[in-house]
């Protein structure tokens, strides 16, 4: 899959979202709880998740967890490493996988 480069990655703890702005002007907005469930490490088995829908305002109240101390860093040119409140940071969220989880709307 040929994925456009990410131009900006930001995290909004108040709204419980991770935002990625791509070079093709698409914006991916992931609810943190859904992204945690989609962790790609061998232990979490997040590969079974096929899609993460964009959050609406009420998603904050429907989340199982409230994430307060989340750190996001790039993992070379491959993707993102996220360190969660629970200390977990075993998975690298590859750019192509993130784009697959939330493709542009057609």
């Amino acid at each position: 899959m040929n994925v456009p480069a990410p131009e900006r990655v930001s995290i909004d703890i108040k709204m419980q979202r991770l935002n990625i702005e791509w070079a093709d002007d698409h914006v991916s907005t992931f609810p943190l709880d859904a992204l945690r469930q989609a962790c790609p490490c061998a232990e979490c088995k997040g590969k079974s998740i096929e899609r993460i829908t964009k959050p609406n305002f009420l998603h904050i109240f429907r989340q199982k967890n409230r994430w307060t101390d989340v750190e996001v860093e790039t993992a070379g040119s491959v993707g993102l490493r996220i360190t969660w409140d629970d200390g977990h940071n075993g998975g690298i969220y590859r750019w192509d996988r993130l784009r697959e989880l939330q493709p542009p709307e057609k």
Side-chain angles (χ1 to χ4, degrees):
M1 176 182 216
N2 191 10
V3 178
E7 293 191 332
R8 184 169 181 245
V9 176
S10 62
I11 191 160
D12 184 340
I13 293 297
K14 181 179 178 185
M15 295 302 291
Q16 295 289 287
R17 299 176 181 181
L18 175 93
N19 305 299
I20 301 173
E21 297 174 23
W22 303 92
D24 65 353
D25 295 327
H26 173 64
V27 176
S28 297
T29 304
F30 298 99
L32 293 179
D33 216 34
L35 210 50
R36 175 62 179 94
Q37 292 171 28
C39 177
C41 80
E43 179 183 334
C44 293
K45 301 177 184 154
K47 292 179 181 174
S48 63
I49 295 176
E50 293 181 26
R51 293 278 185 265
I52 296 176
T53 57
K54 285 190 176 192
N56 60 31
F57 180 74
L58 295 177
H59 87 276
I60 296 171
F61 306 108
R62 295 185 189 126
Q63 284 193 164
K64 180 180 175 184
N65 298 300
R66 175 85 181 156
W67 302 100
T68 58
D69 188 23
V70 178
E71 295 179 24
V72 178
E73 61 184 317
T74 56
S77 62
V78 177
L80 295 176
R81 177 180 305 278
I82 303 175
T83 303
W84 300 94
D85 290 15
D86 59 12
H88 186 73
N89 70 349
I92 293 177
Y93 294 77
R94 294 178 54 96
W95 298 124
D96 57 344
R97 174 69 172 141
L98 288 165
R99 193 61 186 244
E100 199 175 87
L101 286 169
Q102 199 173 85
E105 297 167 4
K106 294 180 181 183

